[in-house]
Amino acid sequence: MAGKATSSNPLVVTGKAPDTSLNVQLHPLVLLTISDYITRHTLRSQPGPIIGAVIGEQSGRNFTLEHAYQCKLAEKPTGDAILDGQWFEERLEMYKEVHKVPALDLVAVFALGPIEGPQEAHLPVLRQVRELTGSDNIMLLLFHPELVDSLQGGKLPISLYESVEELENDQVQVRFRELAFEVETGDAERIGVNFVATGGGNATAVAKPDNASSIAVASASSSKDKKGKGKAKAKEGEEGETNGAAPINFLSPEDDELISTLNSKVNAIKMLGERLDLIRSYLETLPQSYLTDATSTAAPAETTNFQLLRSVQSMLSRLPLLAPPDSAPENTDPGAEPPANLELAAEKERQDVHLTSLLASLTRSVAEAQTLGSKFTILQRERQTKERSQFGRGPPMRGGFNDDLLADNGAL
């Protein structure tokens, strides 16, 4: 974490490391909101300092910083930055109404600040927020713009402070103690961060049109129907070309997505190259060993990191598995040029598709044959049952001994 407190700042309680008595979890949406607020404030050249509020959940010594929003400032004759009290209370109630389950409340205030820690200019805002909310557990989150370009290794240019009151010369002095925090994220926040990361590559700078062109576009779009709009736009395009203004070409969504994908791959390749250069430079600093020089009898140094060397060896052993095959097939014509790796991969994919289609056809044929066999078995069983029933009943008896006997009895 960046921005550790130093003894040169009288408002910061000196300490070797940030306090870990509080369990503070910082969510990425807070960082995205703060960075977006700073960007818009800078590009629009807005006056006044950057001050905002952070809402989260408090449970004993556990705090979460989940959402942030910018605050409206009010003018003060002394020049100190103060908040618009009525606007602040209304906006806070709106956020608390939206985030009811779980119930969120104001837990921190964010602002810009130096690495040394909070300054005197941060105290009026903090006191005002305490009076408006009636809570003394409001933390101060400082963003350090000067550390944005110099931080590496996943560190963040922010510091989190807890306000404490100390009695000095019979007066209560407000001081700050730096707190340790950890970044916590959820599935929804991962989706939002991924959307922001991919949308950054789609940003396009568009020059603002002059007054004449904007008035022409407005009049053309409001006075004509669809057909008239098309004619007005065509006429406007012709006038723009005749005046020497180059037409603005906007990229399609497919082109934006392609550019974003290529930028992500380029950044990944750059990072991979930097990591490989770092590993190479580390290996070059190591002394010669019997693995690289058979005549060397020197023992490895005591400071040798064998775990790191085993990780490098494991990575090198996996490289052949990741490299694409560059060998030509055996049935290649000796006089012809061997096909490229892309052609070999395409041919293999084509064969796999044909084999899958053939297997599906064979499975379907087997299923149809099985169904036909079942139907034939049922019909055969019905036919045998019918023949058996007819054979058991037999034809009716006519003439013979029984008829003569019946005739004699009747005569009698």
Side-chain angles (χ1 to χ4, degrees), residues 1-5 13 15-22 159-161 177-181:
M1 184 173 57
K4 293 184 179 180
V13 178
K16 296 182 179 179
D19 186 15
T20 58
S21 59
L22 294 181
S159 299
L160 189 64
Y161 295 91
R177 182 190 296 113
E178 187 176 5
L179 299 175
F181 63 89

Side-chain angles (χ1 to χ4, degrees), residues 8-57:
S8 59
N9 191 348
L11 295 179
V12 178
V13 178
T14 59
K16 296 182 179 179
D19 186 15
T20 58
S21 59
L22 294 181
N23 183 17
V24 183
Q25 295 180 350
L26 179 64
H27 288 254
L29 291 181
V30 176
L31 303 179
L32 293 178
T33 304
I34 295 175
S35 62
D36 178 69
Y37 180 23
I38 295 174
T39 303
R40 289 186 288 105
H41 189 276
T42 305
L43 293 179
R44 295 175 181 176
S45 301
Q46 296 178 348
I50 295 177
I51 299 176
V54 181
I55 61 174
E57 186 178 2

Side-chain angles (χ1 to χ4, degrees), residues 1 12 59 128 172 244 263 337 374:
M1 184 173 57
V12 178
S59 177
Q128 184 183 10
V172 178
N263 288 333
E337 296 182 359
S374 301

